[in-house]
Amino acid sequence: MKTILITGATSGFGEASARRFAAEGWRVIITGRRRDRLDALQRELEGLHGTVERGHVSYVLCFDVRDRAAVDTAIAGLPPKWDTIDVLLNNAGLAAGLAPLQEGSTDDWDRMLDTNVKGLLNVSRAVIPGMILRKSGHIINIGSTAGKEVYAKGNVYCASKFAVDALTKAMRIDLLEHGVKVTQIAPGAAETEFSVVRFGGDEDRAKQVYQGFDPLRAEDIADIVHYVATLPSHVCINDLVVTPTAQANSTNIVRR
Ligand code: NDP
Ligand code: 8X3
């Protein structure tokens, strides 16, 4: 039975991936800041796929990826049954705001860079040594089309995802001799809580982002994560860009 640790499992891609991997017989370590959601997801997964023994298919770790000490303590404290992480899904992340650079909120910049870049580094730094010891493992980073092409007012969010693109390439080089696979999945527009968070809880504004076309769904990304994680050991997808059919890149979406 393999184990995946998923950051940002309380919503969107991470939550859908937790459901998908649990359904496929994996053990899932679900993480995020909202404990109530993690507990509810654990109850759901155990009810669907578990045994009478609670904690058979899922394990909850509640931490903020920006808090390096909390990340280290959580990963180091995993019990023996859970401490062999085969796949790390670095998914936790967010956009905060959409404004020209000269009008941007410096607090928003800190949130995005600390979460999307340093948070990904914090979790990776804590998990990678075990993979190196075992000479196997797979790190899957969720980048974005925003990390391939910059769009108007996307500035710092795009920069954070360009950093994920660079770090994915760097990790693949550094981990090559250790037999650890590294993959980036770079999705385009997907309707999750992403835009609600970006616009500070404004659900109407968030809905407008996906109006007039059929966006990706969280389950689409979960399918792809599962696909790349279950390829034969000699096959590694390096980089996978996926958009809705109505989207060509960061700036071209056809709306009807
Ligand atoms: P959601 O807002 O639905 O989910 C984001 C997840 O990240 C939540 O589970 C949240 O958990 C977690 N998270 C955010 N900040 C932190 C933090 N500081 N510490 C720990 N967990 C955190 O959005 P998506 O599922 O869409 O986003 C997932 C990833 O996909 C992000 O990296 C995003 O940038 C990327 N992405 C999204 C696209 C889209 O169009 N939706 C397209 C391309 C990439 P909690 O709040 O409980 O901590
Ligand atoms: C999320 C996709 O285009 O909203 O990374 O930035 S986009």
Side-chain angles (χ1 to χ4, degrees):
M1 203 177 195
K2 287 197 166 189
T3 300
I4 182 170
L5 186 149
I6 301 172
T7 67
T10 56
S11 169
F13 302 162
E15 184 178 18
S17 298
R19 291 200 173 101
R20 178 63 195 268
F21 278 81
E24 300 289 345
W26 287 55
R27 286 186 183 146
V28 291
I29 302 172
I30 49 177
T31 79
R33 291 167 300 177
R34 286 170 288 183
R35 178 171 283 282
D36 53 337
R37 289 200 184 195
L38 292 170
D39 288 342
L41 181 58
Q42 183 180 46
R43 279 193 299 275
E44 176 194 320
L45 297 179
E46 296 299 330
L48 286 172
H49 315 293
T51 62
V52 282
E53 182 197 355
R54 185 176 149 89
H56 183 65
V57 294
S58 59
Y59 192 88
V60 168
L61 289 180
C62 190
F63 58 73
D64 185 325
V65 294
R66 294 171 294 182
D67 183 343
R68 190 172 296 143
V71 170
D72 288 345
T73 303
I75 307 284
L78 281 168
K81 182 174 159 187
W82 289 93
D83 66 358
T84 301
I85 298 167
D86 299 289
V87 176
L88 165 61
L89 177 59
N90 274 319
N91 162 75
L94 80 162
L98 185 71
L101 196 84
Q102 61 275 18
E103 293 168 18
S105 148
T106 51
D107 285 345
D108 284 350
W109 296 355
D110 285 344
R111 253 175 95 198
M112 290 187 274
L113 293 171
D114 289 349
T115 307
N116 301 356
V117 184
K118 289 166 74 181
L120 177 146
L121 286 169
N122 291 339
V123 180
S124 302
R125 185 67 185 82
V127 170
I128 286 171
M131 291 182 170
I132 289 179
L133 271 179
R134 294 186 294 277
K135 295 198 180 306
S136 79
H138 193 169
I139 299 183
I140 302 175
N141 294 328
I142 300 295
S144 170
T145 46
K148 302 290 183 183
E149 288 154 296
V150 175
Y151 56 86
K153 302 180 186 172
N155 45 66
V156 175
Y157 177 67
C158 294
S160 76
K161 290 299 181 178
F162 270 75
V164 172
D165 191 71
L167 288 170
T168 304
K169 290 173 182 153
M171 283 180 184
R172 194 175 310 109
I173 296 166
D174 292 347
L175 295 174
L176 192 60
E177 65 182 297
H178 300 289
V180 175
K181 296 188 197 186
V182 184
T183 297
Q184 171 174 250
I185 299 171
E191 192 164 9
T192 58
E193 293 180 14
F194 175 84
S195 289
V196 178
V197 171
R198 170 170 241 170
F199 298 124
D202 185 338
E203 301 205 356
D204 290 336
R205 195 168 171 202
K207 271 201 175 65
Q208 287 169 21
V209 174
Y210 310 103
Q211 250 163 27
F213 71 103
D214 197 3
L216 294 171
R217 294 163 196 134
E219 293 73 21
D220 301 323
I221 303 305
D223 273 352
I224 292 166
V225 174
H226 183 260
Y227 172 72
V228 303
T230 52
L231 287 165
S233 61
H234 66 288
V235 180
C236 177
I237 301 260
N238 287 204
D239 195 10
L240 195 157
V241 180
V242 51
T243 62
T245 305
Q247 179 178 24
N249 52 37
S250 277
T251 46
N252 292 77
I253 296 183
V254 65
R255 296 173 198 265
R256 299 189 195 281

